[in-house]
Amino acid sequence: MSHVARSGPFGFDLGPYGSFGLPGGVTTSLDAVGGTIKLAAANSSNTWVINGAGSGTLDGNAFSSVTDLTGGTGADQFIFQPGGSVPGNVDGGGGLDTLNDSNLAGPITVNIQTAKAPAIGGTFANITGFVGSAGSDTLIGPDVPTV
């Protein structure tokens, strides 16, 4: 790789070439063909605050221009603020992970069958809890018998 552009507080993990701008245990991957930038949290409990298009903070560290988010092995909180969005996918990773839309005006709809939720352009995976908005929200469950 001959050239890497960097702006703001975002960082890259360049494998054997080193890394810059990332807290310990946090990694990124860049798909130059697909144009995706994936940010993966350290294997611990993490708090994500998504407050802009592909931007926000991960445990207080700012990120921007990110397409996909992946939590660590602990309990991750993905807290969406008004105007916050993830253009791609949100994967909770391991642990008990929560999508928190309590700061949104609502009403909102979360569909577990299709893995779709507000402000997520792709899908969500490995999410075990949902916090709704102040509105009259709708949660669509799986189309299978449950116990």
Side-chain angles (χ1 to χ4, degrees):
M1 184 178 288
S2 60
H3 181 264
V4 174
R6 176 181 180 217
S7 65
F10 187 77
F12 289 99
D13 178 359
L14 301 175
Y17 302 105
S19 63
F20 55 89
L22 295 173
V26 176
T27 62
T28 61
S29 65
L30 173 64
D31 177 356
V33 175
T36 60
I37 299 174
K38 300 176 182 182
L39 183 61
N43 283 324
S44 61
S45 295
N46 301 284
T47 301
W48 303 77
V49 177
I50 299 93
N51 54 22
S55 64
T57 61
L58 167 56
D59 295 331
N61 297 291
F63 65 85
S64 62
S65 303
V66 173
T67 310
D68 298 327
L69 305 177
T70 301
T73 55
D76 290 282
Q77 288 275 332
F78 296 91
I79 303 168
F80 286 85
Q81 301 288 338
S85 64
V86 176
N89 303 315
V90 173
D91 185 341
L96 300 174
D97 305 308
T98 303
L99 287 181
N100 185 331
D101 291 325
S102 64
N103 296 303
L104 303 182
I108 63 166
T109 297
V110 173
N111 189 326
I112 297 173
Q113 289 182 41
T114 61
K116 299 292 270 179
I120 299 175
T123 59
F124 63 82
N126 299 310
I127 300 295
T128 56
F130 302 91
V131 178
S133 73
S136 297
D137 300 329
T138 301
L139 177 65
I140 300 170
D143 192 15
V144 296
T146 58
V147 177

